[in-house]
């Protein structure tokens, strides 16, 4: 089919999705990025013609929105809005995190659920895509308030989830503490002890290395990308944004493999540590995270070798590799230009959609190794899938066993992306590769199951 006709098909498809989903910029951004690479592939496959596969994938199978009333420590009633997006179950039960953050809305969760469909497909594990959360802010709340909110949220959510239906996990604002409260309420209401949530504590069915898994997987994926250029992590420098479990896992594994991490960032700005973030500095990051403190400035106060830069992102720092680990749309075109001008060779997304479309296109145009989060940060959900397996067989694997399986999964994801993403000049377009590889498995399952 002529290029003009393909472009028209993309434009027509996007226009239809925009008309059905107005005022949802995050969701539309995710759909546009996928459509640009998947539709040119679909038109080459006669078996996909007329099946409306991508149209069906952009429409959630089920969206649940509910009221979450709870009582704060002052005895006052608070009301939040809860969500669960059950996007696609063609290859397995819905799987995706729960996010508690004041920015949570329908658009953000639909984008995350849509991305999750492709991400889970890439892992090759039998997991569909979903996402959920609430516009609740855990910051500044007491343990009792967080417990009461989690119990109120789960009282409604438990009607819609189960180990063979929908298996939520943690996300921003939902860590081990929150998962524990959510699981306890589910168990009490349903009177059953099942693997309905992942990210659980080790004492009641959790998996080893789950907190680090997303960050570890990102670094394993980066390692595979570098190998395509005959390079390795040892001796390379990296900038990292974010302050949570993902950033911690990236810093820990990148350092372990011989690299040097120069930055981390919080909502207050970023720190630049020329000596590298290693040893007790990594341990201190974990201490800060456990206490709920995400202020980068406190790191600089603890370690005088670090310089604190207020109100800015770390992408102006010269590095070999960049790991955006914070949140969506944190890396803009001007950041991408700064990274390219400073000679960055690889950008591996660790957060969900942290780069804007303009930034992504700048990396691709300059032939920088660039991986979208749906591929490179799939290690977290992959390890959640391994936790589901351990729950099903009532066994716990060692950290070495889990880590080995995680590394093998990330290598497999990389190979799939490379297979579908390699271009005529040999450059690997991981955006195209990840989208097509993730699409194919879901599409084949949907074709087999008919119009449902």
């Amino acid at each position: 089919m002529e290029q003009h006709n393909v472009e028209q098909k993309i434009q027509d498809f996007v226009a239809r999705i925009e008309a059905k989903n107005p005022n949802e910029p995050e969701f539309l951004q995710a759909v546009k990025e996928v459509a640009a690479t998947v539709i040119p592939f679909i038109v080459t496959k006669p078996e996909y013609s007329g099946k409306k596969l991508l149209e069906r994938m952009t429409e959630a199978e089920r969206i649940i929105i509910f009221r979450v009333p709870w009582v704060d420590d002052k005895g006052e009633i608070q009301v939040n809005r809860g969500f669960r997006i059950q996007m696609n179950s063609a290859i397995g039960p819905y799987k995706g995190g729960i996010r508690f953050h004041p920015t949570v809305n329908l658009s953000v969760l639909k984008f995350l659920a849509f991305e999750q469909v492709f991400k889970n497909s890439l892992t090759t594990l039998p997991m569909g895509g979903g996402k959920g959360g609430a516009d609740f802010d855990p910051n500044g709340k007491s343990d009792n308030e967080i417990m009461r909110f989690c119990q109120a949220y789960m009282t409604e959510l438990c009607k819609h989830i189960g180990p063979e239906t929908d298996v939520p996990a943690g996300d921003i604002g939902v860590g081990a503490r929150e998962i524990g409260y959510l699981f306890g309420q589910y168990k009490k209401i349903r009177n059953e002890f099942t693997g309905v949530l992942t990210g659980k504590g080790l004492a009641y069915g959790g998996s080893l290395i789950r907190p680090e898994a997303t960050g570890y997987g990102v670094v394993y994926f980066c390692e595979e990308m570098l190998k395509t250029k005959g390079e390795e992590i040892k001796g390379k420098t990296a900038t990292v944004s974010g302050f949570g479990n993902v950033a911690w896992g990236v810093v820990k594994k990148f350092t372990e493999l011989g690299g040097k991490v120069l930055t981390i960032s919080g909502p207050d700005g970023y720190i630049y540590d020329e000596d590298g973030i290693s040893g007790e500095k990594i341990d201190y990051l974990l201490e800060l995270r456990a206490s709920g403190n995400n202020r980068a400035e406190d790191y600089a106060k603890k370690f005088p070798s670090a310089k604190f830069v207020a109100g800015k992102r770390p992408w102006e720092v010269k590095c070999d590799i960049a790991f955006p680990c914070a949140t969506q749309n944190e890396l803009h075109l001007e950041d991408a230009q700064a990274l390219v001008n400073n000679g960055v060779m690889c950008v591996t997304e660790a957060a969900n959609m942290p780069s804007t479309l303009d930034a992504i296109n700048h990396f691709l145009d300059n032939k920088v190794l660039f991986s979208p989060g749906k591929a490179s940060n799939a290690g977290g959900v992959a390890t959640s899938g391994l936790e589901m397996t351990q729950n099903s067989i009532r066994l716990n694997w060692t950290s070495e066993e889990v880590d080995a399986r995680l590394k093998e999964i990330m290598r497999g994801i990389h190979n799939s992306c490379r297979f579908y993403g390699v271009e005529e000049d040999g450059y690997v377009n991981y955006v195209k590769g990840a989208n097509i590889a993730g699409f194919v498995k879901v599409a084949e399952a949907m074709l087999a199951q008919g119009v449902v």
Side-chain angles (χ1 to χ4, degrees):
M1 183 175 288
E2 291 182 4
Q3 183 65 27
H4 171 73
N5 290 336
V6 174
E7 291 296 331
Q8 190 61 51
K9 278 183 173 290
I10 294 171
Q11 291 176 19
D12 292 346
F13 172 81
V14 169
R16 291 195 299 273
I17 301 303
E18 286 178 333
K20 292 182 72 174
N21 303 274
N23 304 313
E24 296 183 3
E26 294 86 1
F27 175 61
L28 292 173
Q29 179 182 339
V31 170
K32 288 175 185 176
E33 188 250 290
V34 169
T37 50
V38 169
I39 289 177
F41 173 77
I42 290 174
V43 299
T44 68
K45 300 292 181 182
E47 63 270 31
Y48 295 158
S49 177
K51 303 299 183 182
K52 298 290 182 70
L53 291 165
L54 194 55
E55 284 87 342
R56 284 193 267 166
M57 287 184 197
T58 60
E59 195 68 44
E61 293 177 8
R62 193 173 295 106
I63 295 178
I64 303 135
I65 304 177
F66 51 95
R67 180 180 65 197
V68 187
W70 57 284
V71 180
D72 66 19
D73 286 345
K74 296 177 182 178
E76 295 179 4
I77 296 171
Q78 303 291 334
V79 181
N80 287 95
R81 181 173 292 173
F83 303 84
R84 188 66 185 172
I85 314 295
Q86 296 178 334
M87 200 75 190
N88 192 293
S89 60
I91 62 174
Y94 308 107
K95 184 84 190 76
I98 294 172
R99 176 176 293 193
F100 291 165
H101 196 272
T103 60
V104 163
N105 58 38
L106 192 58
S107 176
V108 168
L109 292 183
K110 283 174 67 177
F111 124 63
L112 291 168
F114 182 66
E115 290 272 293
Q116 200 76 46
V117 173
F118 292 83
K119 184 187 303 183
N120 292 0
S121 173
L122 286 167
T123 69
T124 73
L125 300 173
M127 302 181 295
K131 206 76 178 183
D135 57 356
F136 169 77
D137 188 357
N139 287 324
K141 304 293 192 302
S142 70
D143 280 355
N144 280 331
E145 287 177 322
I146 290 172
M147 180 182 71
R148 286 193 292 270
F149 177 82
C150 288
Q151 290 171 342
Y153 179 83
M154 182 54 80
T155 297
E156 176 61 31
L157 185 66
C158 73
K159 305 170 187 175
H160 310 286
I161 63 174
E164 305 300 330
T165 305
D166 186 348
V167 184
D171 195 86
I172 294 173
V174 179
R177 173 183 57 180
E178 289 77 15
I179 290 292
Y181 294 148
L182 291 165
F183 182 79
Q185 186 74 351
Y186 179 90
K187 183 168 64 71
K188 179 179 181 179
I189 295 173
R190 297 290 290 266
N191 192 29
E192 59 183 33
F193 194 110
T194 62
V196 68
L197 290 162
T198 57
K200 300 185 295 298
L202 292 175
Y204 61 102
S207 174
L208 288 163
I209 82 163
R210 178 60 190 90
E212 309 97 311
T214 303
Y216 279 19
V218 167
V219 176
Y220 291 147
F221 196 96
C222 173
E223 189 175 34
E224 295 299 317
M225 294 169 76
L226 292 176
K227 285 179 183 177
T228 67
K229 297 293 186 182
E231 299 282 354
E232 61 179 352
I233 287 174
K234 187 176 181 180
K236 300 291 189 299
T237 58
T239 51
V240 172
S241 67
F243 216 94
N245 283 340
V246 178
W248 172 62
V250 167
V251 173
K252 189 176 177 186
K253 182 56 67 173
F254 191 82
T255 303
E256 183 183 307
L257 294 178
K260 180 195 284 189
V261 176
L262 301 173
T263 72
I264 53 165
S265 70
D268 56 336
Y270 76 88
I271 65 96
Y272 170 67
D273 191 336
E274 188 176 6
D275 295 338
I277 302 170
S278 61
E280 64 171 328
K281 297 174 182 177
I282 297 177
D283 296 336
Y284 184 66
L285 288 182
L286 188 58
E287 286 179 32
L288 289 176
R289 182 61 182 162
S291 69
N293 182 352
N294 59 356
R295 286 173 48 81
E297 187 175 11
D298 288 350
Y299 176 100
K301 290 177 180 177
K302 173 77 172 178
F303 301 105
S305 62
K307 173 188 174 185
F308 174 66
V309 182
K312 298 185 76 175
R313 295 182 291 265
W315 313 124
E316 61 189 7
V317 175
K318 183 177 174 61
C319 64
D320 299 313
I321 302 164
F323 294 105
C325 300
T327 189
Q328 66 264 14
N329 292 330
E330 60 165 295
L331 198 158
H332 301 159
L333 175 59
E334 58 269 27
D335 301 315
Q337 291 169 336
L339 284 166
V340 170
N341 291 340
N342 278 327
V344 72
M345 68 168 61
C346 179
V347 178
T348 311
E349 290 191 337
N352 293 305
M353 203 172 73
S355 307
T356 64
L357 289 174
D358 285 345
I360 292 171
N361 289 332
H362 189 71
F363 289 134
L364 299 181
D365 291 343
N366 285 275
K367 303 298 182 182
V368 172
L369 291 172
F370 174 82
S371 169
K374 66 169 66 72
S376 44
N377 82 4
V381 74
T383 306
S384 286
L386 298 178
E387 182 177 333
M388 291 166 65
T389 301
Q390 293 172 77
N391 292 164
S392 296
I393 63 177
R394 297 291 196 270
L395 285 176
N396 288 327
W397 294 327
T398 65
S399 57
E400 290 78 13
E401 288 176 304
V402 176
D403 197 19
R405 286 178 166 90
L406 169 62
K407 189 168 187 176
E408 194 58 37
I409 288 170
M410 298 311 298
R411 184 178 290 122
I413 294 172
H414 176 269
N415 291 342
S416 296
C417 294
R418 188 177 184 186
F419 178 80
Y420 286 106
V422 69
E423 298 185 336
E424 291 182 4
D425 61 359
Y427 174 70
V428 181
N429 184 332
Y430 288 95
V431 175
K432 179 175 76 174
N435 288 338
I436 295 174
F439 170 82
V440 167
K441 184 177 180 181
V442 179
E444 294 297 330
M446 290 174 70
L447 286 174
Q449 294 166 25
V451 183
V452 293

